[in-house]
């Protein structure tokens, strides 16, 4: 079970087929079911329109179509099986993330191959190579730092400028007007 803007439950149909069901917190209505995604963790961005689904060897980034879901719920056209248009696949990355955190539209994560990466749009950038297994604690915008911890509870940080991430995001979206500001 995972939290976020939608209640998310993972399950198995049979030994080879996994799924995640997404439900509305208020009504309990099934929003959609995503098949063949062996979710280990689901991490939503702060605005609730993007989520990272972490599996053993892939990171899936999905965009939640709030407007389509809201419209279907208001019009009474949300089927018992949910709404296929509820999510759109933004990208998938062949990597094994230990965990991660969102900063706006950028997903920052640590990998099993001991790297700290960040994903802007569908582009992956490496921030640092690590000497040992570490886990993301978070990103502090005021300090412009990514915080990680190891199993002995030693904390290290890496500098990562939020303004640079915002710039990269708007450039990759093709919004040159916003990039020039």
């Amino acid at each position: 079970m995972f939290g976020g803007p939608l209640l998310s439950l993972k399950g198995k149909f049979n030994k080879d087929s996994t799924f995640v069901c997404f439900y509305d917190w208020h009504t309990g209505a099934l929003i959609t079911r995503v098949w063949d995604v062996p979710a280990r963790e689901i991490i939503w961005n702060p605005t609730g329109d993007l989520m990272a689904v972490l599996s053993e060897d892939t990171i899936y980034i999905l965009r939640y179509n709030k407007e389509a879901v809201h419209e279907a719920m208001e019009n009474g056209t949300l089927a018992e099986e949910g709404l296929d248009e509820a999510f759109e696949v933004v990208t998938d990355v062949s990597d094994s993330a230990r965990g991660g955190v969102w900063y706006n539209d950028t997903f920052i994560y640590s990998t099993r191959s001991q790297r700290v990466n960040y994903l802007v749009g569908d582009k992956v950038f490496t921030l640092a190579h690590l000497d040992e297994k570490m886990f993301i604690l978070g990103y502090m915008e005021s300090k412009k730092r990514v915080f990680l911890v190891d199993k002995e509870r030693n904390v290290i940080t890496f500098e990562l400028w939020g303004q640079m991430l915002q710039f990269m995001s708007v450039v990759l979206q093709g919004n040159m007007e916003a990039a020039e500001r």
Side-chain angles (χ1 to χ4, degrees):
M1 182 163 73
F2 307 102
L6 299 174
L7 171 63
S8 311
L9 300 172
K10 69 177 182 175
K12 280 190 170 186
F13 183 66
N14 58 40
K15 68 178 185 164
D16 298 323
S17 185
T18 60
F19 60 89
V20 179
C21 290
F22 295 90
Y23 296 92
D24 181 75
W25 282 101
H26 302 290
T27 65
L30 175 66
I31 302 302
T32 196
R33 181 178 294 119
V34 179
W35 290 96
D36 298 324
V37 176
R40 192 172 29 82
E41 187 173 356
I42 294 177
I43 304 168
W44 290 83
N45 76 342
T47 58
D49 62 339
L50 290 170
M51 73 171 161
V53 179
L54 310 183
S55 71
E56 289 303 317
D57 59 359
T58 306
I59 303 166
Y60 302 93
I61 305 297
L62 304 177
R63 182 174 312 280
Y64 176 45
N65 189 346
K66 294 179 203 175
E67 293 78 25
V69 170
H70 180 73
E71 185 178 311
M73 291 179 82
E74 287 290 315
N75 297 338
T77 58
L78 183 62
E80 256 186 58
E81 311 81 49
L83 184 68
D84 289 339
E85 299 81 28
F87 289 106
E88 164 196 351
V89 176
V90 175
T91 192
D92 58 89
V93 178
S94 293
D95 208 344
S96 183
R98 291 190 185 283
V101 64
W102 285 94
Y103 173 74
N104 294 332
D105 291 348
T106 301
F107 187 62
I108 306 164
Y109 61 98
S110 60
T111 70
R112 294 190 190 276
S113 57
Q114 298 178 235
R115 291 186 319 269
V116 179
N117 291 343
Y118 56 98
L119 178 65
V120 181
D122 61 352
K123 308 286 187 231
V124 176
F125 302 91
T126 298
L127 176 62
H129 294 272
L130 305 170
D131 294 332
E132 61 183 321
K133 179 174 24 175
M134 301 205 81
F135 302 90
I136 297 268
L137 287 174
Y139 176 75
M140 189 178 289
E141 183 176 9
S142 63
K143 302 288 184 195
K144 300 172 183 63
R145 312 285 296 174
V146 176
F147 289 79
L148 295 99
V149 66
D150 66 12
K151 63 183 176 183
E152 281 87 34
R153 296 187 209 119
N154 297 309
V155 176
I156 65 165
T157 68
F158 293 100
E159 186 174 53
L160 185 59
W161 287 72
Q163 294 145 326
M164 179 195 66
L165 297 176
Q166 289 174 328
F167 176 78
M168 292 171 70
S169 181
V170 296
V171 167
L172 287 172
Q173 293 169 8
N175 189 348
M176 298 314 285
E177 184 179 310
E180 289 176 3
R181 288 185 252 151

